[in-house]
Amino acid sequence: MFRAGATAAWAAAVFSAHAADPSDTLVRAGDSARNTTYQGVILYRGDDEFDVLKVQHRFKDGSEREHLVALTGEPRQLLRIDNRLICVLPKDRMVSIDRPAGMKNFLAQLKPERLRQLSQWYEFRDQGSGRIAGRDCNGVAVMPRDQFRYGYEIWADKETGLPLKVSLVGQQGEVLEQVMFTEVSFPAAIEDAAFEEPEVDASKFRTIAQELPSLDATPATTDEDRPQVSFEKLPPGYRVVAREQRPLPQGQEGKVEHLLLSDGLSAVSVFSAIEHHAPEKAFRGVSRVGPVEAYGRMMGSFHITIVGEVPSQAIRMIGDGVRPVFPIEVPPAANDGGARAQ
């Protein structure tokens, strides 16, 4: 007759032998997020924001298509064709639906080599089994090893590997943002018409298109085409993965440069521009809306804004260490002893 302690130890050993490997679950979730054809309804929950969206996603002939339509709030649509995003928004309204798409899309870039890199900055833990949208799932916690990034919790469908619930988790274990399916199905095919660019009334709606960056990329630069800023110090693991220049809004003179920094999972945007008009009105200091931290500062006539879904410690380190690369009048900075980041 088995003793109770021996029985418990035997049961624990059997469970451990059959528990899903968290790295395998994440890799499979990444593959499925790209390669699975599915449709359903998802809930997006932010700080003071709640949206219900209809989603259709297709992978066919090596090409990925996704269409999101908001079922609550302002009419909005998002169409993704491979790495190109097309957002249709009410004119003159600051609303979007790219947040839930962005939370899911980072998973599509998770591959074995990426996970090996990320294991320096994150720990992966099995969360056992659960049910999302009526389907059995495996859970994985992605836990930061320092104070410069948030964590994630991912629940992936056992049958297909598709991530059915993704949560952004704060430093105290609180859920900052969440995307979750309430309904999901896996049709054999979705017609082309579902992914045609919407025809909209230009007087009521506006269309914004952009390219999604690869978090593994390193933008090429030359001596004649260098970024406007450099960084004296960056949080461990972060580097520049994308760079673009845009015209200043409302017909203002000059351009704003956007640098995207990432550790391969978390991302921070750095915007820089010469402030020609009313520099006294430029955003300064620290601000937070939900999980998004922002930090603005002026250096002479140069304005820097740092924005990202990362803790304030990361935003401040990046913002305090940024420097223009061309000569301008900038007050001397205190020497923090940090090495120059590449």
Side-chain angles (χ1 to χ4, degrees):
M1 186 173 182
F2 288 115
R3 291 181 301 163
T7 303
W10 173 82
V14 170
F15 174 81
S16 177
H18 292 280
D21 181 270
S23 295
D24 291 345
T25 299
L26 291 174
V27 170
R28 189 173 179 230
D31 289 339
S32 184
R34 291 187 302 271
N35 303 332
T36 301
T37 294
Y38 60 86
Q39 60 188 19
V41 175
I42 60 176
L43 300 182
Y44 167 76
R45 178 167 65 90
D47 185 39
D48 288 318
E49 193 176 350
F50 182 87
D51 273 318
V52 182
L53 305 111
K54 176 184 176 182
V55 60
Q56 292 176 292
H57 180 277
R58 185 183 75 183
F59 185 79
K60 179 182 178 182
D61 300 329
S63 182
E64 191 180 358
R65 301 284 188 273
E66 184 172 67
H67 188 203
L68 281 168
V69 178
L71 302 180
T72 55
E74 297 276 9
R76 292 150 290 160
Q77 295 188 48
L78 182 147
L79 176 65
R80 181 165 63 87
I81 303 173
D82 295 321
N83 287 332
R84 183 171 176 78
L85 281 180
I86 302 169
C87 299
V88 179
L89 311 172
K91 197 169 186 178
D92 302 324
R93 298 292 183 91
M94 295 300 292
V95 295
S96 182
I97 56 174
D98 59 354
R99 291 301 313 125
M103 283 192 70
K104 292 196 300 97
N105 289 337
F106 83 85
L107 284 171
Q109 300 191 43
L110 289 181
K111 298 178 181 178
E113 57 272 22
R114 166 73 61 79
L115 289 178
R116 285 192 289 271
Q117 171 197 359
L118 290 173
S119 65
Q120 302 175 76
W121 322 118
Y122 299 89
E123 179 184 357
F124 311 128
R125 292 185 184 177
D126 176 53
Q127 295 292 92
S129 299
R131 281 177 63 79
I132 309 294
R135 300 182 65 89
D136 293 332
C137 295
N138 292 320
V140 175
V142 180
M143 305 177 67
R145 297 184 184 274
D146 58 29
Q147 72 272 30
F148 298 116
R149 52 212 103 219
Y150 288 137
Y152 290 85
E153 190 174 277
I154 296 100
W155 291 87
D157 181 34
K158 286 186 178 181
E159 181 180 347
T160 66
L162 183 69
L164 298 184
K165 182 179 178 182
V166 180
S167 302
L168 181 69
V169 181
Q171 294 176 302
Q172 306 303 318
E174 73 278 21
V175 174
L176 301 174
E177 202 172 27
Q178 189 175 84
V179 175
M180 180 176 67
F181 279 85
T182 60
E183 302 175 17
V184 65
S185 62
F186 301 91
I190 299 177
E191 297 298 322
D192 292 345
F195 307 102
E196 293 176 356
E197 187 169 344
E199 295 184 8
V200 299
D201 184 344
S203 67
K204 297 180 180 179
F205 292 86
R206 60 194 171 104
T207 301
I208 301 173
Q210 67 183 76
E211 296 291 327
L212 286 172
S214 166
L215 298 185
D216 289 322
T218 300
T221 60
T222 65
D223 289 340
E224 294 77 23
D225 183 30
R226 293 180 298 165
Q228 293 182 145
V229 298
S230 62
F231 302 94
E232 289 192 343
K233 192 174 184 181
L234 291 176
Y238 285 82
R239 63 187 182 87
V240 177
V241 298
R243 175 190 175 221
E244 64 173 341
Q245 288 191 336
R246 310 171 183 171
L248 286 171
Q250 302 174 346
Q252 298 179 59
E253 177 186 354
K255 294 183 178 181
V256 59
E257 181 175 78
H258 173 214
L259 297 179
L260 183 67
L261 311 180
S262 178
D263 63 0
L265 186 58
S266 302
V268 177
S269 289
V270 178
F271 300 95
S272 57
I274 296 292
E275 184 60 61
H276 295 283
H277 307 286
E280 69 278 1
K281 296 182 179 180
F283 166 61
R284 291 178 172 87
V286 181
S287 176
R288 179 177 178 181
V289 179
V292 179
E293 296 271 355
Y295 175 34
R297 60 181 294 206
M298 292 292 302
M299 293 182 290
S301 60
F302 208 71
H303 184 243
I304 307 290
T305 306
I306 299 92
V307 181
E309 288 193 339
V310 296
S312 59
Q313 294 95 324
I315 293 289
R316 289 303 299 255
M317 179 181 287
I318 294 169
D320 289 342
V322 69
R323 297 288 181 269
V325 299
F326 53 85
I328 63 171
E329 292 184 5
V330 178
N335 183 10
D336 62 4
R340 181 169 296 277
Q342 301 296 320

